[in-house]
Amino acid sequence: MKTRTILYVEDEENDVFLMRCAWKSAGVLNPLKVVTDGEQAVQYLSREGKYANRDEYPMPCLVLLDLKLPKLSGLDVLKWIRQQPAIQTLPVTILSSSNRPEDLRTAYARGANSYLVKPPNTDGLVEMVVSVKDFWLDRNQLPPESFPD
Amino acid sequence: MASKQTSRRAKAGRLQRQTAEMNTQLVTAGVRQHELTETAEKLNERLKAEITARKNTEEALRKAKDLLADLVAHQEHLVAERTAKLQELVGELEGFSYGITHDLRAPLRALQGFSRLLEEGYGEKLDDTARDYLRRIATSANRMDKLIQDTLTYSRVLRLDLRMENVDAEKLLRSMLESYQEFQEPKAEVIIEGQLPAVQANEAALTQCFSNLMNNAIKFVAPGTKPRVRISAERRGEMVRLWVADNGIGIAERHRENIFGMFQRLDTSYEGTGIGLTIVRKAVERMGGMVGVESEPGQGSRFWLELKAADKVERNS
């Protein structure tokens, strides 16, 4: 079985760079695809434009979604995903700096599958990536229909 | 004949007298009428004056009433205006804390992350001084992140609506002791002495208070000393005073009031932001209580917070 892709929606360039480093340190082989705003996330998931190329941009088995994004917020992207019949069960993990109760509440209310707070340092980030891999990629059973390329 | 004349004269005299009398009466009546007319006129005038006065009074009253209504309306407007301004301020504070949470911490993660990458990838090419600088950058970034988190917690304590309920202080503390290794043997010895009664509090806020007090209690000990914390309660009338006593370094008298102030740190050799006790005081105040401390340098500290005892009726239900 081929390793499935994870889509990371993040506008902070440094966070993306550090995530790629942590991805490597944690030894995760699954490809990490990155888009940098909410609109791009929607285009990716609806295979618009260049994202029509499925070899280059495979359908992800998990979305790591920042909340505060340019153009379309993370919550808007989440809401949109839950309205698309083809991908409404796609697992979405929020990855935000915020642990504000109101952000957590809204994210879960809109259908987030889990919520992670960005660790403040690199060790924490590597630990987090390891636990995401262990749980979401190894342990967790993904929805059966997920997700035709 | 003579008598006839006499009687006629008498008659004339009588008539004359009568006429004179009538005249007098007429004159008197005229005078009287004149007087009456004058009186009536005077009365009329007075009545008119009274009516005018009453009208004036009514007018003044009406004006006063209008003025009062205006004042009330003005006051209501002011209250509404101020409420709106306050709500706006709370909203701004909310937006402010949202911005801090989401944006201010990102550069710190980068500082932390890249100094770490530099150390890991290029550490061998750096000398000790350079590595020390890197470590300082990382430590400062970390500290800044803690400051931001604590400031956010404080702003949350300030603006959140703290719903009060009966909280079983003992149950709350025991579950905290079970959840955190740093409150357990062999790292520390934390003992609850006697029974702690229920208090009127907001559970989340009280948890935050206990967490800050206990963390201080185990943090501020002399190097090599095992932290020992005693928690007890004391009934004081309608209030319950909860004590957190430690075997730490203690606080000199001149610093005892200061320590509850924002960003106040007495000893910078201990890690901290100086916001913990400010959060405790504000949270307890917002729950209608008080905080305080008894301490001597080298003798440990006894922090207390005082809250209303739980409402009995509710407690039984």
Side-chain angles (χ1 to χ4, degrees):
Chain A
M1 199 184 118
K2 72 176 200 177
T3 48
R4 309 212 52 156
T5 299
I6 284 104
L7 179 65
Y8 182 27
V9 191
E10 173 62 74
D11 61 321
E12 280 285 340
E13 200 189 322
N14 290 323
D15 280 348
V16 171
F17 187 91
L18 294 170
M19 178 63 92
R20 286 198 187 284
C21 292
W23 212 251
K24 215 187 276 172
S25 303
V28 186
L29 299 173
N30 302 58
L32 183 71
K33 289 286 168 193
V34 174
V35 290
T36 55
D37 66 51
E39 268 181 22
Q40 279 181 46
V42 168
Q43 284 163 6
Y44 188 113
L45 293 171
S46 47
R47 308 170 184 203
E48 270 175 38
K50 67 174 178 181
Y51 300 111
N53 181 349
R54 277 295 137 197
D55 294 332
E56 191 73 21
Y57 304 105
M59 207 57 179
C61 66
L62 174 70
V63 178
L64 296 177
L65 184 62
D66 188 16
L67 283 183
K68 198 158 180 272
L69 291 166
K71 294 179 186 173
L72 208 57
S73 78
L75 288 174
D76 289 335
V77 173
L78 178 59
K79 191 174 163 193
W80 177 86
I81 290 173
R82 295 294 173 244
Q83 288 167 348
Q84 308 308 303
I87 52 166
Q88 62 181 351
T89 56
L90 177 63
V92 174
T93 285
I94 301 297
L95 183 54
S96 166
S97 324
S98 163
N99 61 350
R100 300 189 338 148
E102 38 284 55
D103 287 332
L104 285 155
R105 203 175 297 122
T106 325
Y108 280 115
R110 297 244 180 126
N113 298 90
S114 82
Y115 191 118
L116 300 171
V117 176
K118 290 179 184 173
N121 54 50
T122 38
D123 289 345
L125 189 61
V126 174
E127 276 170 29
M128 191 199 79
V129 170
V130 169
S131 60
V132 165
K133 179 194 171 332
D134 284 349
F135 183 78
W136 283 108
L137 305 179
D138 296 344
R139 181 69 63 184
N140 187 57
Q141 299 288 314
L142 291 166
E145 68 270 28
S146 68
F147 288 93
D149 287 330
Chain B
M1 197 58 204
S3 65
K4 217 178 195 173
Q5 253 180 0
T6 310
S7 81
R8 200 177 287 154
R9 206 175 291 147
K11 203 177 179 179
R14 220 168 35 238
L15 271 173
Q16 215 166 9
R17 270 201 311 277
Q18 279 174 350
T19 311
E21 217 169 89
M22 278 175 73
N23 263 340
T24 313
Q25 276 175 359
L26 264 175
V27 169
T28 313
V31 170
R32 180 88 186 117
Q33 194 181 357
H34 183 70
E35 274 174 9
L36 279 174
T37 311
E38 257 184 2
T39 310
E41 273 171 5
K42 273 186 192 153
L43 275 174
N44 255 342
E45 262 164 37
R46 205 185 291 165
L47 211 62
K48 261 188 208 159
E50 261 172 32
I51 286 170
T52 311
R54 186 175 290 179
K55 269 188 184 158
N56 285 343
T57 311
E58 273 168 7
E59 177 72 13
L61 256 175
R62 203 177 48 75
K63 273 186 186 160
K65 234 188 220 168
D66 286 352
L67 197 69
L68 209 65
D70 278 356
L71 271 174
V72 168
H74 183 63
Q75 284 295 334
E76 277 168 359
H77 179 71
L78 268 183
V79 168
E81 212 172 47
R82 278 180 198 160
T83 311
K85 263 187 192 156
L86 263 176
Q87 273 163 351
E88 199 184 307
L89 211 64
V90 170
E92 272 170 23
L93 194 62
E94 188 111 355
F96 180 66
S97 87
Y98 183 84
I100 290 178
T101 317
H102 287 275
D103 293 331
L104 223 60
R105 296 173 70 189
L108 292 170
R109 282 196 301 275
L111 265 176
Q112 248 274 339
F114 285 103
S115 59
R116 184 62 183 271
L117 289 176
L118 199 56
E119 197 190 333
E120 279 174 2
Y122 301 86
E124 285 167 12
K125 293 178 187 170
L126 300 171
D127 62 15
D128 285 350
T129 313
R131 271 198 297 274
D132 179 50
Y133 291 166
L134 267 182
R135 195 184 51 78
R136 284 169 191 271
I137 292 173
T139 311
S140 301
N142 220 354
R143 186 169 151 63
M144 180 79 188
D145 197 61
K146 286 214 180 84
L147 275 167
I148 289 175
Q149 283 185 48
D150 283 357
T151 311
L152 282 172
T153 307
Y154 181 68
S155 88
R156 202 172 293 153
V157 167
L158 274 185
R159 84 195 134 87
L160 281 194
D161 185 25
L162 298 184
R163 209 174 58 80
M164 302 291 280
E165 58 204 341
N166 285 345
V167 179
D168 185 337
E170 183 156 342
K171 202 168 141 197
L172 179 74
L173 269 160
R174 291 208 184 277
S175 80
M176 285 175 71
L177 297 186
E178 276 165 27
S179 310
Y180 297 100
Q181 278 192 354
E182 52 267 50
F183 299 150
Q184 296 165 10
E185 295 283 2
K187 291 187 173 172
E189 179 194 292
V190 182
I191 291 173
I192 298 178
E193 288 177 340
Q195 279 199 320
L196 308 183
V199 290
Q200 292 182 40
N202 174 277
E203 188 164 331
L206 187 60
T207 307
Q208 180 82 56
C209 292
F210 277 138
S211 168
N212 290 12
L213 287 179
M214 306 253 294
N215 275 309
N216 279 356
I218 60 171
K219 180 165 68 175
F220 293 101
V221 288
T225 308
K226 180 178 174 178
R228 289 175 211 284
V229 185
R230 299 271 177 282
I231 298 162
S232 58
E234 176 193 347
R235 186 73 193 233
R236 296 167 75 98
E238 290 297 292
M239 309 293 279
V240 171
R241 187 174 278 200
L242 293 159
W243 290 90
V244 178
D246 63 43
N247 62 334
I249 52 174
I251 304 149
E253 193 189 348
R254 62 182 186 284
H255 297 308
R256 251 169 257 155
E257 194 40 43
N258 284 346
I259 54 169
F260 291 100
M262 192 80 149
F263 300 122
Q264 291 291 332
R265 298 171 71 205
L266 296 182
D267 190 336
T268 46
S269 59
Y270 293 89
E271 207 180 288
T273 57
I275 306 178
L277 287 176
T278 314
I279 292 171
V280 173
R281 179 162 72 179
K282 183 53 76 180
V284 172
E285 278 173 4
R286 289 207 57 202
M287 294 189 286
M290 289 185 300
V291 291
V293 64
E294 289 176 0
S295 180
E296 288 301 331
Q299 312 259 307
S301 303
R302 287 159 49 80
F303 280 88
W304 55 263
L305 56 86
E306 207 172 280
L307 291 164
K308 266 198 199 129
D311 188 2
K312 285 224 175 59
V313 183
E314 221 180 297
R315 203 181 169 188
N316 292 338
S317 67

